[in-house]
Amino acid sequence: MSGLPVRPEIAAAEPYGAPHPDVPVRLNVNENPYPPPPEVVDGIVQRVRQAAEQANRYPDRDFTALRSALADYLAREAEVPDITPDMIWAANGSNEVMLQLMQVFGGPGRTAIGFEPAYSMYPEYARNTFTTWRPTQRGPDFAFDLARALRQIEHEAPTVVLLDSPNNPTGLITPLETVEALAEQTAGRAVLLVDEAYGEFRQPGTPSALKLLARYPHLAVSRTMSKAFAFAGVRLGYLAAAPELIGYLRTVRLPYHLSAITQATALAALDYAGLMLSQIAELRERRKRLASALGAMGFTVTDSEANFVLFGRFEDRHATWRKLLAQGVIIRQVGPAGWLRVSVGTEAETLAFLRALARTREELE
Ligand code: PMP
């Protein structure tokens, strides 16, 4: 022990991170399995070259061009035409965006709530911003329990409410009317963040929480380029909210937090948004087939609208996880005990997973 004066809650914690061994079939962190097409790579190289030529200068602190491109993209994707660049904020992954939100609206003596199971970083944002974390549970079958959520809001008086929809790890969407009820209940008291990291995978016709933005100045909707957009390596997440809320995020961000290289890379990908997103329908179809195949094997599978499914139940999920890994397939042990989460990969990866799982079952029986 070095005697470093570390905060006790940090000393007691492990750094976050899924195991990341180099195996042939990686279905553990909900990436898009398809790399960017060559035209996009060329577009990135061109834009990054221009940015590199001015790399002696600090980048545009307010990333004006990127905010415009993100506003246009969201307006099209969610069919919300009145999203303007001053309603957009971005950072290095939606993780950083949400941390910044917590820096503004959480803090010592304040409480944030969520609805578990939920994305496992939420308690860490709270810890890192000295915010008290008081989650409540979802209902049976992981469905969102509105009555319980409203009671938790009354009881805990949070200043931040975090809701991932589609939810990680179940993939379940919270219906827009439920989000609306939460927005009504929190108005004037808390910020409601709807984390739509997997939003683009929702069923066509399902409305995004972005539809509610114009009505609620305390609503923020975060998205990421890491998932459907097939850009996890770039680290670009963003959020849409009323301009006043965005103004406070500008106050806490570190100067020049988005590098010129990141801005250029994201802009290049947004030039080709159609191409970057072209595999979504295929991934959605494969998710359905994966869920049916797991169902046919006798598993219970969540009705996911993301690029993964949660399946169970296992008496010893770790035994299955380990045996899959031994066959070169990595999935994720996350969420409630008894369940495992698997991302939708390519056709070959998905089949390899299903074959390895069948073999695992035979071995464990
Ligand atoms: N929200 C949810 C629900 C997630 O699952 C993830 C990543 N696993 C994130 C946010 C963060 O993604 P990123 O920082 O890559 O944008």
Side-chain angles (χ1 to χ4, degrees):
M1 279 297 154
S2 60
L4 288 173
V6 60
R7 285 165 50 197
E9 62 275 32
I10 303 287
E14 288 292 323
Y16 176 88
H20 232 167
D22 193 10
V23 295
V25 182
R26 292 189 299 188
L27 302 175
N28 62 335
V29 286
N30 302 339
E31 294 152 333
N32 189 316
Y34 299 109
E39 313 73 313
V40 184
V41 174
D42 289 343
I44 292 171
V45 169
Q46 251 176 34
R47 285 225 189 223
V48 168
R49 165 165 261 288
Q50 286 164 9
E53 282 166 359
Q54 296 165 55
N56 56 315
R57 301 288 177 194
Y58 281 114
D60 174 3
R61 226 175 12 219
D62 293 317
F63 42 98
T64 327
L66 179 57
R67 283 162 89 181
S68 250
L70 288 167
D72 287 349
Y73 165 69
L74 277 188
R76 269 180 283 126
E77 199 280 337
E79 295 174 7
V80 185
D82 44 7
I83 293 187
T84 47
D86 59 351
M87 295 170 68
I88 300 289
W89 186 248
N92 300 283
S94 56
N95 265 305
E96 189 176 74
V97 171
M98 289 187 272
L99 182 70
Q100 291 173 338
L101 187 94
M102 296 283 290
Q103 286 176 323
V104 173
F105 297 101
R110 293 179 164 215
T111 297
I113 66 165
F115 312 97
E116 296 193 328
Y119 180 37
S120 47
M121 277 301 294
Y122 296 164
E124 304 210 7
Y125 307 153
R127 181 198 67 203
N128 292 353
T129 58
F130 311 92
T131 309
T132 304
W133 177 241
R134 289 257 187 275
T136 185
Q137 296 299 306
R138 288 168 177 260
D141 300 329
F142 309 120
F144 192 87
D145 183 339
L146 180 61
R148 188 187 287 186
L150 296 180
R151 277 200 306 277
Q152 189 77 353
I153 291 168
E154 285 312 306
H155 191 247
E156 297 292 347
T159 54
V160 181
V161 177
L162 297 176
L163 169 65
D164 49 355
S165 177
N167 167 256
N168 179 1
T170 63
L172 296 176
I173 286 259
T174 300
L176 197 65
E177 310 81 75
T178 306
V179 177
E180 207 172 341
L182 289 173
E184 286 293 330
Q185 181 88 353
T186 48
R189 303 197 276 176
V191 161
L192 172 61
L193 177 99
V194 182
D195 173 357
E196 293 191 350
Y198 301 96
E200 286 97 341
F201 290 109
R202 69 195 186 280
Q203 291 302 341
T206 304
S208 155
L210 291 163
K211 292 259 185 211
L212 300 174
L213 270 191
R215 283 170 47 204
Y216 298 109
H218 67 298
L219 173 67
V221 181
S222 64
R223 292 273 183 112
T224 181
M225 292 178 81
S226 299
K227 307 295 180 182
F229 222 94
F231 229 36
V234 174
R235 309 305 297 130
L236 199 290
Y238 54 104
L239 167 156
E244 185 190 353
L245 193 155
I246 303 292
Y248 295 119
L249 295 172
R250 286 181 68 201
T251 307
V252 299
R253 63 109 159 82
L254 296 174
Y256 314 109
H257 70 292
L258 264 192
S259 84
I261 304 299
T262 301
Q263 293 183 40
T265 309
L267 271 169
L270 286 158
D271 289 341
Y272 294 93
L275 257 185
M276 294 295 280
L277 292 162
S278 57
Q279 262 111 357
I280 290 191
E282 181 187 322
L283 289 167
R284 259 197 225 112
E285 274 309 303
R286 190 167 304 126
R287 173 189 72 215
K288 274 193 213 150
R289 279 185 279 120
L290 170 64
S292 321
L294 289 167
M297 291 171 79
F299 290 109
T300 306
V301 189
T302 53
D303 193 11
S304 168
E305 294 201 31
N307 64 335
F308 55 84
V309 298
L310 190 72
F311 66 106
R313 307 184 60 141
F314 298 91
E315 277 197 12
D316 178 1
R317 68 173 168 179
H318 189 63
T320 294
W321 183 85
R322 249 193 349 247
K323 282 201 175 285
L324 289 172
L325 188 59
Q327 295 171 75
V329 178
I330 184 155
I331 64 168
R332 191 78 185 268
Q333 292 188 85
V334 71
W339 298 82
L340 289 167
R341 193 191 71 193
V342 60
S343 312
V344 178
T346 60
E347 185 70 14
E349 288 167 337
T350 305
L351 290 174
F353 158 71
L354 287 168
R355 269 198 304 271
L357 184 63
R359 223 171 294 138
T360 298
R361 287 238 297 205
E362 279 166 24
E363 283 175 30
L364 289 175
E365 260 160 26

